[in-house]
């Protein structure tokens, strides 16, 4: 039986917590493979080869305890829902209700306090890390069903604590499912297709080009296509959603 690690009472200061990271070897990664399903917009895949320098990435998504340590140390105005929502009371729950702006502020604080170059993970870095060294596979573990291998399809429930499922080939946990992760770039920086056709969805008002990328899907994801390593999404930079959090990256001297 899993023992729940409860968060401290409000007002009790949490210590600064530096996340565990894993170094990912540099080299090329083929983005967007296998080819996107016929019912998915091609720009969600945007197949191409990218050379990714060596970098480090969080072994887990940032947890609620880690995020609240930042908030309590700095007084930063986080979304207080994360303190009150019963789904996030386990200290090892992946932190949600984090906007892209919040994620940047968190990594800036972490870099300042640690003296290390923490930042948001980049789009191609996330896909390379998610693949875990495998090539041309749908998911971090291969092509098998995500059932029992990832936290997904639970829109009315709670996210499982980080590390609840087996890691991929790089030793990274929950690279799909669990919690969407913000990436550093906006949509326009990583998609190279015809924006006039691909970036106006539903109405001409919804221009997604300047929205930041998020990767990986979440515990609420019902469409398993969104769990593919190749899939990318986007959301407004100030959006604080219960299914979007952050996984840090760390630049490595070349």
């Amino acid at each position: 039986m899993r023992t729940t690690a409860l968060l401290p009472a409000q007002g009790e200061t949490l210590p600064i917590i530096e996340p565990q990271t894993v170094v990912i070897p540099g080299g090329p990664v083929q983005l967007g493979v296998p080819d996107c399903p016929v019912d998915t917009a091609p720009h969600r895949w945007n197949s191409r080869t990218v050379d990714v320098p060596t970098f480090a990435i969080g072994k887990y998504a940032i947890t609620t305890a880690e995020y609240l340590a930042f908030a309590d140390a700095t007084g930063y105005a986080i979304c207080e829902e994360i303190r009150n929502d019963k789904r996030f009371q386990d200290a090892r729950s992946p932190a949600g209700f984090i906007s892209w702006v919040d994620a940047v502020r968190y990594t800036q604080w972490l870099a300042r306090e640690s003296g290390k170059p923490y930042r948001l993970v980049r789009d191609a870095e996330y896909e390379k890390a998610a693949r875990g060294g495998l090539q041309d596979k749908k998911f971090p573990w291969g092509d098998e069903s995500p059932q029992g291998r990832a936290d997904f399809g639970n829109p009315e429930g709670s996210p499982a604590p980080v590390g609840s499922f087996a890691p991929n080939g790089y030793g990274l946990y929950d690279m799909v499912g669990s919690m969407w992760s913000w990436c550093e770039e906006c949509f326009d920086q990583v998609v190279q297709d015809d924006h006039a056709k691909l970036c106006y969805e539903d109405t001409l008002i919804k221009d997604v080009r300047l929205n930041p990328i998020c990767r990986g899907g979440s515990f609420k994801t019902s469409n398993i296509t969104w769990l593919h390593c190749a899939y990318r999404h986007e959301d407004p930079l100030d959006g604080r959603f219960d299914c979007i959090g952050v996984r840090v990256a760390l630049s490595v001297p070349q």
Side-chain angles (χ1 to χ4, degrees), residues 8-250:
Q10 188 165 359
E12 181 180 346
T13 302
L14 287 164
I16 294 171
I17 305 171
E18 191 173 348
Q20 299 178 60
T21 59
V22 174
V23 175
I24 307 300
V29 56
Q30 178 65 42
L31 306 180
V33 292
D35 291 340
C36 65
V38 294
D39 60 345
T40 303
H43 60 292
R44 298 295 181 192
W45 254 247
N46 195 230
S47 180
R48 67 190 189 280
T49 299
V50 177
D51 190 59
V52 177
T54 299
F55 70 102
I57 187 171
K59 188 174 184 178
Y60 309 98
I62 293 303
T63 64
T64 299
E66 289 171 321
Y67 191 58
L68 291 184
F70 152 68
D72 293 342
T74 63
Y76 182 79
I78 64 170
C79 177
E80 288 298 322
E81 194 68 24
I82 194 172
R83 295 188 192 273
N84 305 320
D85 193 317
K86 293 181 179 179
R87 298 173 298 167
F88 294 87
Q89 294 308 298
D90 188 324
R92 287 186 61 78
S93 293
F97 299 104
I98 299 177
S99 72
W100 184 87
V101 175
D102 298 335
V104 170
R105 293 291 180 262
Y106 171 76
T107 56
Q108 289 174 334
W109 168 79
L110 192 61
R112 183 176 67 249
E113 293 297 318
S114 67
K116 301 175 184 178
Y118 283 102
R119 55 174 173 79
L120 294 185
V121 64
R122 291 162 188 155
D123 178 76
E125 290 176 337
Y126 196 98
E127 186 164 339
K128 181 178 178 65
R131 292 187 177 281
L134 299 179
Q135 296 182 6
D136 303 334
K137 300 298 183 181
K138 295 177 181 178
F139 307 110
W141 54 84
D143 291 328
E144 298 81 9
S145 166
Q147 195 65 45
R149 294 181 172 90
D151 184 15
F152 75 105
N154 189 20
E156 304 302 324
S158 305
V162 299
S164 293
F165 298 87
N168 71 2
Y170 287 144
L172 303 174
Y173 291 84
D174 312 312
M175 290 300 290
V176 299
S178 184
M179 196 66 61
W180 288 101
S181 292
W182 289 113
C183 292
E184 188 175 80
E185 306 98 326
C186 67
F187 198 79
D188 196 43
Q189 291 175 288
V190 300
V191 175
Q192 300 173 341
D193 295 299
D194 183 351
H195 292 148
K197 294 180 180 178
L198 298 176
C199 287
Y200 290 89
E201 301 179 345
D202 303 328
T203 75
L204 292 179
I205 297 173
K206 186 181 178 183
D207 184 355
V208 305
R209 288 175 290 184
L210 297 182
N211 285 349
I213 294 294
C214 36
R215 286 275 197 162
S218 80
F219 71 102
K220 299 175 71 172
T221 295
S222 58
N223 186 341
I224 64 170
T225 298
W226 299 358
L227 302 179
H228 284 215
C229 295
Y231 186 83
R232 65 170 59 83
H233 186 54
E234 46 69 33
D235 264 302
L237 57 81
D238 57 352
R240 286 171 161 173
F241 305 106
D242 62 352
C243 57
I244 305 182
V246 60
R247 184 185 296 258
V248 300
L250 189 63

